[in-house]
Structures are given as structure tokens and as C-alpha cells.
Amino acid sequence: MKQQITGSEALLKSLIAEGVDTIFGYPGGAVIPVYDQLYDYKEQLKHVLVRHEQCATHAAQGYARVSGKVGVALVTSGPGATNTLTGIADAMIDSTPLVVITGQVASPLLGTDAFQEIDVIGITLPITKWAYQVRKPEDIAWAVSRAFYIASTGRPGPVVLDIAKDAQVGMVDFEYQKADYIRSYQPEPEIRMEGIQEAAKLINEAKKPFCLVGQGVILAGAEEELTEFLSKNDIPAGCTTLGLSALPTDFPLNKGMLGMHGNVGPNRKTNECDVLIAVGMRFDDRVTGDLSTYAKQAKVVHLDIDDSEIGKNVPVDVRVLGNAKKTLPLITALLETRKRAEWNEAFESDAQEEYEKVIEKELFPTDGCLKMGEVIRKISEATNNEAVLVTDVGQNQMMGVRYFKYKQTRSVVTSGGLGTMGFGLPAAIGAKMGAPERTVCLFTGDGGLQMTIQELGTIMQEQLNVKIILLNNNFLGMVRQWQELFFQDRYSATVMKNPNFVMIAKAYGIASREVQKREELDEAIHEMLEHDGPYLLMANVEEKGLVYPMIPAGATITNILMGD
Amino acid sequence: MLEKKLYTVIIFSENTVGLLNQITIIFTRRQLNIETLSVSPSAISGIHKFTITTYADENMIEKVVKQIDKRVDILKAYYNTDEDLVFQEIALYKLSTERFLKMGTVEELIRKYNVRVLEMNETCVVLEKSGHYDETQNLFKELSETIGVLQFIRSGRIAITKSPVERLSDMLANMERVLLEKKTDDGKK
């Protein structure tokens, strides 16, 4: 006879069966039975106690993004659940696989406005791939198996399981079966060979093909397939912010980043190429700017696993629906081996112009305050360009992704679609847990850091070796930049009076120092990286630094600002 | 800008809690008004069918349907224009018995509009008419202008495609095949 166990134990056994070893969470009334059971499973399930539920989801995101595994967050009902919403929404728009488990009041109390009761399913439906309420212990194993299957397959995304307290304490015969089929859900669409052939024909006939690389390549694990595809036909490529590190920075066909603060070459060539091949990206407005002038001259080939993305923003000539790991090699097989020396060299003059007008000043200033870019590049190089880059949102983020360099995939953790300030610190915690062998460097600003600064407590408790680089300019820098460029220097609510961050770090037992002189920078970076444990390096950078190039929102490449 | 016209969205789904909410938020987010909505069990046990009409341009309706189709619990979503469909609505009209009888044109009315009498008692008469919107509306107009209508209700549209392709059964057959292939693959492993 099978032994009956509680729903809570069934939940933990189900998580273990799905290969979970780390949970980010915060206990509370409606989830105490699960936490009680967790006490007996400490060896198998490492629980990281965050300091705010929002950070449980962001940490789970960081974990998922670097490891490729499903991130798991565990919180209580009511405010515990509502606090997770920002992280869930962030994971939805950035296609990050998460399973968020929320406790819920006992099922007889549902709908009665009970203490800490909230309609979790109702409020998470628009921001989840699937949301389900479990009211019976018998449904727990089934719901967990579906949750992991849905979160991790197809285009990944967040799933919410709302588990009523009576389902946590009720007894159940436990048997676990992993889900691999749901009648109404087809994670990998069938590949149409006509699309493959049309795509290959267009590319073979193209004189100036250009490839846009999105996070879909990383999610599909198709980095090698992409490299072969580009190399065979000598196709230059640009990466979206989330697509960065799908190709190493120094891969010759990688021409840099796309979009508002991207590199000049990839943005200009988007409007000069004759065939535009988009792989696993969604033509976000921060990439395209004004759609009416975007790549109008080009035939567009779009490879994506999500049918609703193809043709959503940009009209598409050839649709290639499917998993890029399978579709890319099918196209590559039909491609001619080509050399496109002249077309590839055409990116050089743009790169040279950007170097002279922007990069050189940012990376190699000779006087004045520290520049954000120089701090970032120096740290990247000090890690041999092998670290994981985590950023917050704003100037620190755009400078971070522009000037950090990447050697291996899954090296960028940043809030792309939602642009969540406060994401950085908790995401760095998750990233370090997900890739403990790698150096994790967080670049954050004085604004974003203070949105989730309480997570220094989590870092202290876990003694997590996270390197926190605070690019402190005493401003909400990106908004200030817009105010300077588009709102006549009217700095409305962007000036920040800040605490002594070094002392705050010390209060948490985290090694810390301040640096503002260029001569001290190398030594300070060395000290930070050599330190065995968490470290906060506060770099006092110039107050009114600007991220260039910039294509203003809704504008086109010809409106590019270079600060000259 | 493309022309707005009336589209009929037909959705087959699993019969799970909260599905209507999942569908309507997709309309709400794009500020699309739902004109009519009808939900009922389909011919296949456990599968529900939604019929929704809305004014939109084709570009918009295509995106909306893809977003609906993408939801995990949705089996399949389609959109059609009136030309592709046989469709019907049903309307009920409650009238005063006294005034109805006094009208003196009951037979004419019933023949002209193909009306059925569902109930007649001392106080009220309930008529039923099925047809397209214009047809049920014309009867409503005539009755309102002559003897007055005490209560009126019209159902959402229900629709069947004229095409020879049976989309739901084809789709289900395809899914069964996928499952079978998966089982065979697992067997080989």
C-alpha cells in the first residue's frame, strides 16, 4: 500500500522530481505548512530567504536566465502574492521560465475576503503563460508537472500555482508523472519546409543580408547552429539586448547591439540591407524605432517559435515558424558557401565613426570624473570577459550591455521588455546561485539599488560572492538624460540625495569601498575581484553622463544622436 | 488604416475555470468591444465553443486570434467574416396579451416574420424569432412602434462554417497523432 503524505510534502517531492534544488521565497500564514515540510527537506531543497517577495521572483529570474533551468519562487497569499507581480510580468515579457507558488487561504474561505485572500489567478492571468489554483491535495502533483512542462517548453514563461491551505495539509497518495503532452498546447509547431526553402533562396540571392539575433537563440540553445548559419553564408549580425552573448563579442560577424542605444553599424545596416533575417526576436519598439521607416527596403525573414510574434510589428515576407535549433540547420543546409567581404567591411566605417564620436571618449577619457563606460569595460576585462553581467535599469544598464564583453552564452541578465528598476540586485543573487562557478558582476545605479537594497541582507545571510558595482551619479540618470535632451534641462524629481552606501554595505558585513579617482580604479577593481565574498564598489561617476548613441523614442536612424 | 468590419471569432477550448477571463482580457487590452458572445459545450465532450463577434480591421483581428490561440487551454481559435458562415441569433419578445390580441394582425405578423408563440397567458405573450440581427431587429422595431414590447432579449450569434474543412476534428486528429508518435518514440527509448 502506498503511504499517504501531506499535500505540502507532495509539493516538495514534485519539485524534486522536476530537478529543482533551489527555491527563492518568503514564508507567511497561508504557506506555513509547506515551510514546515521544507524543514525536513533542507538537504534536497536549498531555500534562499529573500527580504521582499518581489525579489524572490527576480532572483528566480536571474537563476533561470544563467542556468536555463526553471526558476522557482515560493510566497504566501495576499500581499506575498501581489508583491511577486512585477517579477512575473518581467518574466512574461522576457520569456523567462518561472514557477511561482503562492499559498492561498483554505478553499472554504475563497471569495469571502478572508485575511490575506486575493484573487491571484485573476490578477496574474494577463502576465502568465498559465495560472492555476489547486484546491485538493490530489491535484498538486498533476499541477506541478504541468506547470514545469508549460514554463519550460515552447516559448518559455512564468506559471503561477496558487495552492489553497487545505490542499497543503490534506493527505494524498503520491505518485509523480512528468507531463510531456497537453492536448490544447503545442509547444513546438511543425516546421513547414516551404518556408525553409524560401528563406534559403532569399538569402542565397541576397547581396546584403543582415541577421537580427534575439534571446530566442539562447532559449533554444541554438548558439552553435546560429554561428554555422552566419559563417556559411558570411552574414553579418546584430544582437538585441537580450540576444547579447548568443555570439561572442569578438566573433567577426557579430557587429554589435541593436536599438535605441545600440551600435551605429547594425542600426544603419538594418535600413540598408536587402534581406533582413530575424531569429528569435520580436521587433520591440526599442529596437525598431519608427516602424514606418524601419527596414522598408528589405525582404524580411522571421524565425520564431511563437506564431503570434511573426508579423506582429513588422510585415514579414517569409515566415519560419519553429524551434530555431531545428529551423536554422535546415536553412543552413540549403545555403551556398559565400564570402561577403565588401558588405561586411561596410560596417567598419560606422564602427569607426562611433568609436571616434562616442566610444573613445567613454572608455579612454584623460581628465574629469570617472565615466560609466570606462568602469564597466575595465571590470569586464579584469574578469577576462568571462563574467556574468547583471544590470539594473537605466544608464547603468545601457552602458553595461554596451561596454561589457562576452565570451560565452547566458552571460547577460537584464530586464529587457519590462525595464524593471530594482531588478539588478535580486537578479544577481539568483544568477550567482544559478552559476556558482562564474564571477557575477552587477552594475546598478543609485536609484535602482535603493529600490531593492534590502537584498543586501540576503547576500549577507547566504554569503553570496556577488560583485556589486554602484555607478553613483546622484541622479536618476536615464530620466535626467531625457530631461537634458528633450525637456530643456528641467530636472523634475531626478536629483537624489543619497546615503553613504559604503557604510550601508558595511552594516551588512559586505566589504566595500569608494572610488572616484581614475588612478585608483584598477587597484579598486583588483581588490574587489580578489576579495573572497560579496563586495560593493561604489564608483562615483560623472553626474551628467550621457548614453550615446541614442535614437530618440519613435524616431529613425537618421535622427541618431552621438553627442557631437 | 484598414477598414473595420464585423468578424466572428470561433474558439474551441478545454472546459476550465477562468477561460472566458483569459479571452476577454485579450480584447480589453486592445480596446475592442465584444458585440456578441455565446458559449456552450461543443459536439465533443469536454470541449467548449465560444462564438464572439467584434468590429475590427483584419490586421487587428488576426493578432487577437493568434494571442487567443496561444493560451495553453485554448485548442484552436479562428476568425471568419459573414460570407464564410451560416449564422443565427435568437430573440424573445414579451408583449401584453391584451394589446397583442387587439392588434388584429396576429396571423399576418406570424407569417411575415416566421414567429413562434412560446407562451400565452392572461397578461403576456412571449414570441420567439430567430434570424440575423436585422431580422430580429425589424420585428422589435415594428412591435415597439405598434403595441410596445415589455421585455426583449437577443442571444449572441452562433455560427457554423460553410467550408468543407472540419477544423476541430482535423486538429484533434492531428493532436492524437502527435501523442501517438510521442508514445512510439518513448517506446523506442
Side-chain angles (χ1 to χ4, degrees), chain B residues 27-46:
Chain B
F27 286 82
T28 311
R29 195 171 163 193
R30 290 160 186 82
Q31 290 232 315
L32 284 179
N33 243 337
I34 290 176
E35 297 293 323
T36 72
L37 165 72
S38 160
V39 191
S40 63
S42 74
I44 297 160
S45 141

Side-chain angles (χ1 to χ4, degrees), chain A residues 180 183-184 306-307 312, chain B residues 14 63 70 72 175 182:
Chain A
D180 64 354
R183 180 171 69 171
S184 57
D306 180 355
D307 193 28
K312 186 181 80 176
Chain B
E14 299 291 354
K63 287 175 191 173
K70 184 167 141 177
V72 167
M175 292 307 284
K182 202 178 273 277

Side-chain angles (χ1 to χ4, degrees), chain A residues 296-313:
Chain A
K296 286 294 167 194
Q297 80 296 342
K299 294 264 187 209
V300 177
V301 180
H302 195 170
L303 285 72
D304 209 288
I305 199 164
D306 180 355
D307 193 28
S308 70
E309 287 301 346
I310 302 182
K312 186 181 80 176
N313 294 336

Side-chain angles (χ1 to χ4, degrees), chain A residues 282-451:
Chain A
R282 57 187 178 82
F283 292 105
D284 178 76
D285 60 278
R286 284 295 191 266
V287 163
T288 65
D290 178 15
L291 281 172
S292 69
T293 57
Y294 182 79
K296 286 294 167 194
Q297 80 296 342
K299 294 264 187 209
V300 177
V301 180
H302 195 170
L303 285 72
D304 209 288
I305 199 164
D306 180 355
D307 193 28
S308 70
E309 287 301 346
I310 302 182
K312 186 181 80 176
N313 294 336
V314 170
V316 168
D317 297 280
V318 179
R319 307 151 45 87
V320 182
L321 188 60
N323 182 337
K325 197 168 177 69
K326 295 177 184 162
T327 52
L328 277 171
L330 290 171
I331 297 175
T332 307
L334 303 178
L335 290 185
E336 293 159 8
T337 305
R338 293 281 286 271
K339 278 285 160 220
R340 302 180 187 273
E342 200 182 327
W343 170 231
N344 270 296
E345 275 159 25
F347 286 78
E348 291 303 316
S349 58
D350 294 328
Q352 189 58 35
E353 183 186 347
E354 184 177 344
Y355 184 82
E356 283 164 13
K357 289 183 177 167
V358 178
I359 298 173
E360 189 174 24
K361 292 181 216 166
E362 190 64 38
L363 295 187
F364 309 107
T366 44
D367 56 1
C369 294
L370 285 175
K371 293 268 201 181
M372 290 181 262
E374 69 174 316
V375 177
I376 292 160
R377 177 58 63 85
K378 273 196 182 329
I379 291 172
S380 179
E381 284 171 349
T383 68
N384 199 21
N385 303 320
E386 284 168 352
V388 174
L389 167 75
V390 184
T391 79
D392 206 80
V393 164
Q395 289 185 319
N396 62 81
Q397 175 185 36
M398 287 298 111
M399 288 293 194
V401 293
R402 277 182 61 80
Y403 296 112
F404 217 73
K405 291 173 121 185
Y406 317 103
K407 273 191 181 161
Q408 54 175 306
T409 188
R410 292 189 180 275
S411 291
V412 182
V413 179
T414 191
S415 169
L418 202 65
T420 305
M421 278 178 73
F423 173 87
L425 189 60
I429 292 170
K432 186 65 192 175
M433 305 285 305
E437 73 294 346
R438 296 185 69 184
T439 302
V440 171
C441 294
L442 163 67
F443 291 89
T444 184
D446 42 307
L449 177 63
Q450 290 183 83
M451 281 197 177

